[in-house]
Amino acid sequence: GKTVEALSDGQFSANMLVYIVCVGVGCGMVAGSSKILFNVNIIFLILGKYTIACVLTIFSSENFTNIAWDSAGVTTGPVTVPFVLSIGIGFSKAKNAQEGFGILTCASVAPIITVLLTDRLRVIYMKAVNTYLERRRRNNKSIGVQCEMEDREPLL
């Protein structure tokens, strides 16, 4: 957590990373489940997700790129793998599918996308805030504001 905060200069907290990676794993599991439940071709899911991740990588800063691609490692942990694979097996049995391949792959790529997308959204937000503040600063220069009290005694 502290490494993430240090690499992002405090703009990306450890809790924020945990939440974003969780959302990514969940979205990846949904996409991977569509292969089993709706017979979606898994190659399109995998290639599409990696294409999105690579394109977002091009436009992201190096620090966030490192954080994002490292966050995919969370899906290889001792808790996530059995959980995701058991969901795949359960869906396969429920749909009488031959196998449940693909959920873990999709769940591994999605955190990369969510972290990189969060970086891009953060940059867009900061640009909008800076533009707003700059316009407000320029507009306030031309307006005279009277800050002196007029014939009244102070309240305190």
Side-chain angles (χ1 to χ4, degrees):
K2 293 186 184 217
T3 304
V4 170
E5 290 177 9
L7 282 175
S8 66
D9 296 328
Q11 297 175 354
F12 210 79
S13 69
N15 284 339
M16 187 176 181
L17 179 67
V18 169
Y19 296 138
I20 291 168
V21 169
C22 288
V23 167
V25 170
C27 291
M29 288 175 60
V30 167
S33 299
S34 68
K35 185 259 184 196
I36 298 167
L37 298 175
F38 306 114
N39 295 323
V40 175
N41 193 344
I42 192 71
I43 195 72
F44 296 125
L45 290 173
I46 294 171
L47 288 177
K49 285 186 170 218
Y50 272 108
T51 300
I52 292 169
C54 289
V55 168
L56 287 171
T57 297
I58 293 169
F59 296 107
S60 294
S61 66
E62 182 179 355
N63 288 341
F64 278 95
T65 300
N66 295 336
I67 293 167
W69 285 90
D70 190 49
S71 68
V74 75
T75 59
T76 60
V79 175
T80 310
V81 170
F83 177 71
V84 172
L85 291 179
S86 64
I87 288 177
I89 291 169
F91 284 160
S92 296
K93 287 185 178 182
K95 290 290 286 184
N96 291 326
Q98 293 178 354
E99 41 85 17
F101 176 76
I103 293 181
L104 189 61
T105 304
C106 289
S108 296
V109 181
I112 298 168
I113 295 171
T114 55
V115 172
L116 291 173
L117 194 58
T118 302
D119 176 44
R120 297 310 315 150
L121 292 174
R122 182 189 58 81
V123 168
I124 291 168
Y125 173 77
M126 291 307 294
K127 283 182 182 178
V129 166
N130 289 336
T131 302
Y132 170 76
L133 291 175
E134 179 62 27
R135 286 182 184 165
R136 189 168 178 188
R137 186 184 61 78
R138 274 187 284 168
N139 289 339
N140 283 341
K141 278 186 175 179
S142 62
I143 298 174
V145 178
Q146 185 175 359
C147 296
E148 300 171 3
M149 296 179 59
E150 295 180 9
D151 299 332
R152 291 191 329 193
E153 293 194 24
L155 296 174
L156 296 176

